[in-house]
Amino acid sequence: MCGIVGYVGPQDARDVVLEGLRRLEYRGYDSAGIAVVADGALSSAKKAGKLANLEKVLAERPLPAATIGIGHTRWATHGGPTDRNAHPHLSADGSVAVIHNGIIENFAVLRAECEKDGIEFTSETDTEVAAHLLARAYDAAPEGEGRLADAMRTVCRRLEGAFTLVATAAAEPDTLVAARRSSPLVVGIGDGEYFLGSDVAAFIAHTREARELGQDQVVEIDRHRGLTVTDFAGAEVEPTAYTVDWDAAAAEKGGYDWFMLKEIAEQPQAIADTLLGRLGVRGELVLDEVRLSDQELRDIDKIFVVACGTAYHAGLIAKYAIEHWTRIPVEVEVASEFRYRDPVLDRSTLVVVISQSGETMDTLMALRHAKDQNARVLAICNANGSTIPRESDAVLYTHAGPEVAVASTKGFLTQLVACYLVGLFLAQIRGVKYEDEVSAIVADLRRLPEAVAQVLAGMEPVRELARSLADANTILFLGRHVGFPVALEGALKLKELAYIHAEGFAAGELKHGPIAVIDQGTPVIVIVPSPRSRESVHGKVVSNIQEVRARGARTIVIAEEGDEDVVPYADHLIRIPRTPTLLAPVVTTIPLQVLACEIADTRGLDVDQPRNLAKSVTVE
Ligand code: AGP
């Protein structure tokens, strides 16, 4: 969602800010804007649509060179994606400019108050109210050092909802001020220069030194005096310092047409990085970063896995593995529903929140609800320094590197691997598995990067198949056991990338209704479990393939090497290497990622930034 960039330092702020916005494009947006301070005045430009539109405006009407600037990519919430609604928003008197991510929930009341004072609004956004309030507070604040920060604190105390705000003032050419509540913001520290970003991608080309801002904090950056962080009341706080372990090259396309293709290709390495340092020499799990004591882990009697979208699908698969290995009951829930149904949680409940970005608002709110109810929260997360791990009791980072494409690929596979680690670790600590059982599964985990590389090497026929599916109106996905969440994930990928109607079903549910939609030629993709899977699940899925084929479906079958039972019923057969049942989703998902990516590309769509979507969903 909205991307935020701020810069103060010796470089030309126009270039740094635009470059930062480009690096945040992946978050998803529908308008963009920039403001700089030069010669005691604020100058801004903004435009609906992609950054190229803004750049065209800037080419025709350049902003003055400046050493301080702010920039924004907006994902519309209040008011459509128009030029007027794009950020930055300037106060009526032109004294301050503001950019914002989040939703100001009490904006209607505050807007009415400003209008009563004679202020005319020029947009339909909730953000504009912050600009006018800030100008008023700035006017009222004592002159001298810290005046803009003082005004920002006054405004923040009046705002309800979630927000990151960054402001600059015409009279303060060396000062940037920002505030955050439940919305992301990180500070980058360079050599005599400072950066603000919704995430570190905005500035990793310049510096890897970063500071995390906590909840309800205001940062004032003065080019000469440096950084001061306070809470909304004005009490100084020490921000947490960290070094970003991603490099700038990791956030570039590296010769691929799409970030998504690059991220699919990176999956063997990403999985290896998730496992790195966590598998001991004796085949045991070493998860030192899970800061819960052995006794706390032994006391757990129920697990909730809470997440959104693709991360939720990882949770659905985790349930099969964790329950099987630990015998602890696991419930999986979409984060946006979790807190509203009053789940039963207590000190012996472990809530595992999964989030690639670490900023998904629904997941964050679920986490806070779990903590309010006294549950222990373990985060599985990719983005270092993000809000979700910071607020959790413990965190297991996936170390997948930056995921730029909106569609999650390596994020998902590494979440799965992290879930396996958590399940096995619990089994090890609680002594419910013999050591040699744990080490046998650990050996299977070690083989995953190679298995994934093998699947990737055989994807050309899948790409060819994808091109023949590009005109389909509906594609169905079927699976049983862990193949069912994989079917859901395959359908989600296709919907979000190719805008094709797609649904995933538990194969056994088909005959209870959905089979009626199958028509002559309807493509049905079936994820077949290993013939070695339990209680003839394999045989049942083979029967399901026959059922849909008998009704005219075009069957696309994903099955293990050597599984000959499926051959007579598969119009297209995609082979995957032999993999233990519970770990199989790591390999069976890959053809579905490639299929969705290739179909979208064939349809001429933007694979990395599908319409209406944002990479990290920072509003509820
Ligand atoms: C995945 O392809 C989606 N874009 C989306 O479902 C995503 O997984 C979801 O929004 C959760 O994001 P998170 O992992 O960053 O919390």
Side-chain angles (χ1 to χ4, degrees):
M1 288 197 159
C2 304
I4 277 184
V5 180
Y7 175 75
V8 58
Q11 301 188 56
D12 188 334
R14 298 173 301 181
D15 299 338
V16 180
V17 168
L18 276 176
E19 182 204 337
L21 291 182
R22 218 165 285 122
R23 290 182 182 278
L24 294 182
E25 273 193 293
Y26 78 92
R27 295 173 68 89
Y29 70 103
D30 35 43
S31 61
I34 172 171
V36 297
V37 179
D39 305 322
L42 275 159
S43 311
S44 69
K46 45 196 202 172
K47 193 73 192 156
K50 293 289 176 190
L51 265 183
N53 298 0
L54 174 67
E55 283 168 328
K56 217 165 132 209
V57 171
L58 290 169
E60 285 161 11
R61 209 168 30 84
L63 299 184
T67 51
I68 184 164
I70 57 177
H72 190 267
T73 46
R74 171 173 188 256
W75 191 84
T77 53
H78 290 68
T82 60
D83 293 354
R84 281 188 331 150
N85 289 337
H87 300 204
H89 288 283
L90 269 64
S91 58
D93 61 2
S95 65
V96 297
V98 166
I99 52 177
H100 166 224
N101 176 17
I103 294 178
I104 298 171
E105 284 166 4
N106 58 338
F107 92 100
V109 179
L110 298 171
R111 180 170 172 143
E113 179 188 307
C114 292
E115 284 173 335
K116 220 167 124 206
D117 287 351
I119 293 173
E120 275 183 35
F121 279 69
T122 57
S123 76
E124 303 142 296
T125 64
D126 52 341
T127 306
E128 193 182 340
V129 84
H132 299 308
L133 291 179
L134 187 67
R136 205 157 65 179
Y138 186 69
D139 247 3
E143 281 185 29
E145 281 179 8
R147 183 177 177 190
L148 188 57
D150 198 11
M152 179 64 93
R153 284 188 288 269
T154 305
V155 174
C156 289
R157 290 195 291 268
R158 298 210 57 202
L159 303 182
E160 288 167 18
F163 50 86
T164 295
L165 286 167
V166 179
T168 179
E172 308 221 13
D174 293 323
T175 313
L176 272 179
V177 163
R180 74 168 289 265
R181 167 183 286 166
S182 300
S183 211
L185 183 70
V186 279
V187 184
I189 317 266
D191 189 8
E193 56 184 355
Y194 298 87
F195 306 83
L196 290 167
S198 307
D199 64 59
V200 296
F203 55 72
I204 41 172
H206 301 276
T207 182
R208 300 223 215 145
E209 280 313 305
R211 299 286 182 275
E212 271 179 35
L213 278 198
Q215 178 72 344
D216 284 4
Q217 291 184 354
V218 169
V219 60
E220 180 198 46
I221 299 170
D222 180 282
R223 193 174 160 195
H224 308 291
R225 283 184 290 116
L227 201 79
T228 314
V229 181
T230 66
D231 61 20
F232 285 175
E236 220 170 293
V237 286
E238 193 55 44
T240 315
Y242 69 104
T243 304
V244 182
D245 59 4
W246 298 344
D247 58 25
E252 305 284 355
K253 277 192 201 150
Y256 289 88
D257 288 344
W258 299 108
F259 276 109
M260 183 178 177
L261 284 174
K262 173 173 170 263
E263 287 157 10
I264 289 173
E266 284 170 346
Q267 292 182 116
Q269 187 58 49
I271 292 170
D273 289 343
T274 307
L275 295 174
L276 194 71
R278 289 163 172 169
L279 308 179
V281 281
R282 289 180 292 106
E284 80 283 18
L285 276 293
V286 189
L287 295 191
D288 294 338
E289 63 262 66
V290 174
R291 296 183 301 252
L292 300 172
S293 70
D294 288 5
Q295 192 51 50
E296 286 170 325
L297 294 171
R298 277 189 210 106
D299 288 345
I300 291 164
D301 61 11
K302 183 165 56 172
I303 298 176
F304 280 97
V305 185
V306 184
C308 301
T310 285
Y312 166 70
H313 296 154
L316 290 175
I317 293 164
K319 174 182 167 81
Y320 290 85
I322 298 176
E323 283 190 340
H324 182 69
W325 289 334
T326 66
R327 311 312 298 151
I328 306 171
V330 179
E331 286 189 42
V332 190
E333 196 148 346
V334 283
S336 53
E337 289 296 319
F338 183 67
R339 70 185 170 126
Y340 297 109
R341 64 163 190 87
D342 198 13
V344 182
L345 307 166
D346 58 32
R347 201 70 192 134
S348 50
T349 310
L350 177 69
V351 175
V352 179
V353 290
I354 308 176
S355 175
Q356 187 285 131
S357 62
E359 299 292 353
T360 301
M361 183 60 77
D362 291 316
T363 311
L364 178 61
M365 289 303 172
L367 177 170
R368 288 184 181 158
H369 181 76
K371 289 197 79 177
D372 285 348
Q373 305 294 306
N374 243 346
R376 296 171 205 277
V377 179
L378 166 69
I380 290 177
C381 184
N382 188 37
N384 227 259
S386 54
T387 310
I388 287 172
R390 192 170 53 236
E391 294 198 15
S392 299
D393 296 308
V395 54
L396 198 64
Y397 281 108
T398 51
H399 300 307
E403 190 178 66
V404 174
V406 163
S408 185
T409 52
K410 63 176 180 174
F412 176 65
L413 291 200
T414 54
Q415 283 162 356
L416 282 181
V417 172
C419 288
Y420 294 139
L421 292 176
V422 169
L424 268 188
F425 187 60
L426 284 170
Q428 174 179 292
I429 295 284
R430 295 160 71 98
V432 289
K433 283 242 168 283
Y434 291 117
E435 276 178 27
D436 57 348
E437 290 176 300
V438 172
S439 62
I441 303 169
V442 163
D444 292 332
L445 286 173
R446 285 189 203 276
R447 281 191 280 272
L448 282 178
E450 202 188 310
V452 169
Q454 193 183 326
V455 178
L456 288 171
M459 282 297 99
E460 195 40 50
V462 174
R463 276 189 273 274
E464 214 169 286
L465 168 66
R467 292 190 278 273
S468 78
L469 290 170
D471 292 329
N473 292 323
T474 294
I475 300 184
L476 304 182
F477 294 73
L478 305 183
R480 272 181 195 253
H481 193 258
V482 288
F484 169 40
V486 173
L488 296 177
E489 173 61 8
L492 175 62
K493 281 287 155 295
L494 195 64
K495 277 183 274 205
E496 67 176 336
L497 293 174
Y499 320 152
I500 290 177
H501 171 246
E503 282 192 71
F505 295 107
E509 271 295 290
L510 207 65
K511 55 189 173 299
H512 299 288
I515 199 164
V517 303
I518 291 173
D519 212 342
Q520 204 55 41
T522 306
V524 178
I525 300 179
V526 189
I527 298 101
V528 182
S530 163
R532 293 163 283 113
S533 59
R534 284 174 66 180
E535 294 172 15
S536 63
V537 177
H538 171 264
K540 296 209 171 90
V541 174
V542 176
S543 301
N544 297 138
I545 304 174
Q546 295 175 59
E547 284 159 15
V548 296
R549 201 155 187 264
R551 286 157 182 85
R554 175 182 172 192
T555 55
I556 299 154
V557 173
I558 301 176
E560 204 174 86
E561 280 158 2
D563 179 353
E564 295 307 315
D565 298 349
V566 296
V567 174
Y569 316 112
D571 294 316
H572 307 270
L573 187 52
I574 301 169
R575 288 296 191 187
I576 47 135
R578 274 179 74 138
T579 311
T581 301
L582 287 169
L583 308 189
V586 174
V587 286
T588 51
T589 304
I590 296 167
L592 307 183
Q593 298 170 339
V594 172
L595 208 70
C597 182
E598 193 68 27
I599 293 178
D601 191 53
T602 309
R603 287 165 75 99
L605 302 174
D606 186 333
V607 169
D608 287 336
Q609 292 171 42
R611 68 180 179 199
N612 303 339
L613 293 179
K615 178 65 179 165
S616 103
V617 183
T618 51
V619 294
E620 268 188 286

